[in-house]
Amino acid sequence: MRLSRYFLPVLKETPAEAQIVSHRLMLRAGMIKQSSAGIYSWLPLGFKVLKRIEQIVHEEQIRAGHIPMLMPTLQSAELWQKSGRYDAYGPEMLRLKDRHDRDMLYGPTNEEMITDMVGTFVTSYKSLPLTLYHVQWKFRDEVRPRFGVMRGREFLMKDGYNFDLTKEAALHAYNRHLVSYLRTYERMGLQAIPMRADSGPIGGDYTHEFLVLADTGESEVFYDAEITDLKFGDREIDYDNWDECAEVLTEFTSRYARTDETHDAAEFAAVPEDRQRSARGIEVGQIFYFGTEYSEKMGAFVQNDEGERVPLHMGSHGIGVSRLLGAIIEASHDDKGIIWPEGVTPFHCGIVNLKQGDAEADAACEALETALENAGLEPLYDDRNERAGGKFATMDLIGLPWRITVGPRGLKNGVVELTDRRTGESEEVSPEAAVARVAEVYAAHGIGTAGA
């Protein structure tokens, strides 16, 4: 992609309404534009990152054996009246009537719809276990939407629902989701800590929130510092192995880690004092097991192997896809702008031409662009007739992890400058070596033809 042909409306000044880093940088980097309070248009750069995040979510859900589908944004009020949540949910639910005066709502979540669907089609235990999920826009009418995509009214969410014959099988699904979420967040360059949480309006006895530590987090959290040393890494897990998944859950939840809603001061006091930590956290996902609460109300029963008609055991599992974008920025930025982790960056490498119009420099940049594309990567080539300082400022603001700078002086010596956005370190290398180095980095993340 050539920057001269791209739609990237960057701002030099920070809009007055932006209160936190991610909101400021997303506006300045031309990623979003507010349409109305808490509702945003996703401009090309922001949309590109959003799709990267969504793709990782899909890949890890499918790896865990979960099946993608798509449910509508508008739902019939009848389903929610059947579960008893229509009146209980409160003013966050956007209620409306269609032209036939039927009560409708813009879905904040999909427990009722998916339970009704599975109850219609699944009648035997032989169809179990089953986990269905979708990535869909949701709407919750926040009284004070703020912080950009971190607390908007319209947001993109992955919500999945497991259906199992027994509580034991459903708790395995719970553990399986925890494992898949750990993999998902680490691929995005995040450490998201599973913390014992409150179930809220969804209900359930078992629930963990995944929180990213950040000063701007909406939740106060208390945890044992040892948990921040844990990494899932590249280990391979058999998602059908109950013991393996349970061991991972034990490893990541046996140390104290709770949000303020479930904080137990006496239990926290038992943590060695030098490991006691309190901080702020951004919620980026939550998993629930709630048993037969919805299946009994919505009529989702199956016949078991003894011929008995029994309600399905269920859980629901959400990841805030659009919220994750803000959380990543909150966790990864500096005073110059965003620093994207390699797994979610909109473009894999920036190419800066210091002398646009110079035949040798133009040719070298075009050759780098082609070589990176041949390696399965997407470069962003700044081919504008702008001053070098302005080009560097734009690249730093939008946060691409790697930059290759091309100028006539370096080309006389057969070199270009390769810069690591995170460390700020630069080195002069041949154009071929620069491409090889960038391709090697992304191959380690399974990105590009070298990592395929």
Side-chain angles (χ1 to χ4, degrees), residues 228-422:
T228 58
D229 297 327
L230 298 177
K231 299 288 186 292
F232 187 84
D234 296 327
R235 70 181 90 174
E236 290 297 326
I237 293 290
D238 178 359
Y239 282 104
D240 292 326
N241 188 310
W242 290 27
D243 290 338
E244 278 191 39
C245 292
E247 286 170 7
V248 174
L249 177 128
T250 299
E251 177 186 351
F252 280 84
T253 64
S254 58
R255 296 164 182 81
Y256 190 93
R258 295 195 175 198
T259 60
D260 50 359
E261 293 97 334
T262 60
H263 178 53
D264 185 322
E267 191 174 335
F268 187 54
V271 176
E273 190 173 348
D274 63 329
R275 299 198 328 242
Q276 293 178 10
R277 299 286 188 278
S278 63
R280 308 295 299 181
I282 300 169
E283 182 202 339
V284 291
Q286 190 163 3
I287 57 177
F288 302 85
Y289 162 71
F290 42 67
T292 61
E293 179 179 349
Y294 288 92
S295 55
E296 290 182 8
K297 292 176 181 177
M298 307 297 295
F301 288 75
V302 296
Q303 196 171 54
N304 65 17
D305 58 353
E306 296 179 352
E308 300 172 315
R309 188 170 178 267
V310 295
L312 291 169
H313 285 259
M314 291 177 56
S316 71
H317 316 275
I319 288 180
V321 176
S322 53
R323 170 178 269 246
L324 267 168
L325 201 149
I328 291 169
I329 295 173
E330 291 292 332
S332 186
H333 68 273
D334 61 16
D335 57 358
K336 296 178 181 178
I338 302 164
I339 305 174
W340 291 117
E342 277 83 357
V344 298
T345 180
F347 295 94
H348 299 113
C349 181
I351 302 171
V352 172
N353 190 341
L354 293 180
K355 195 170 184 182
Q356 195 69 40
D358 178 85
E360 190 176 2
D362 290 355
C365 287
E366 290 169 9
L368 284 166
E369 184 180 31
T370 300
L372 288 164
E373 289 171 347
N374 288 342
L377 303 176
E378 288 187 79
L380 178 64
Y381 172 20
D382 191 344
D383 61 337
R384 300 171 301 161
N385 272 317
E386 296 282 346
R387 294 170 54 188
K391 291 188 173 189
F392 291 147
T394 296
M395 285 293 175
D396 285 340
L397 174 61
I398 66 175
L400 306 187
W402 297 91
R403 185 184 77 220
I404 301 174
T405 305
V406 179
R409 185 179 302 173
L411 290 175
K412 287 180 182 178
N413 298 318
V415 297
V416 295
E417 185 179 68
L418 178 63
T419 303
D420 181 336
R421 173 70 180 88
R422 186 167 298 279

Side-chain angles (χ1 to χ4, degrees), residues 64-109:
H66 307 156
I67 304 169
M69 60 173 299
L70 185 64
M71 288 175 277
T73 56
L74 291 179
Q75 301 182 30
S76 167
E78 287 182 13
L79 291 175
W80 285 69
Q81 289 163 348
K82 194 172 182 180
S83 74
R85 285 208 299 173
Y86 185 67
D87 295 319
Y89 205 88
E92 284 190 355
M93 180 187 288
L94 181 63
R95 296 165 170 84
L96 59 151
K97 290 182 181 289
D98 67 11
R99 67 191 300 167
H100 301 291
D101 205 37
R102 290 178 294 224
D103 289 321
M104 307 287 289
L105 59 101
Y106 193 127
T109 184

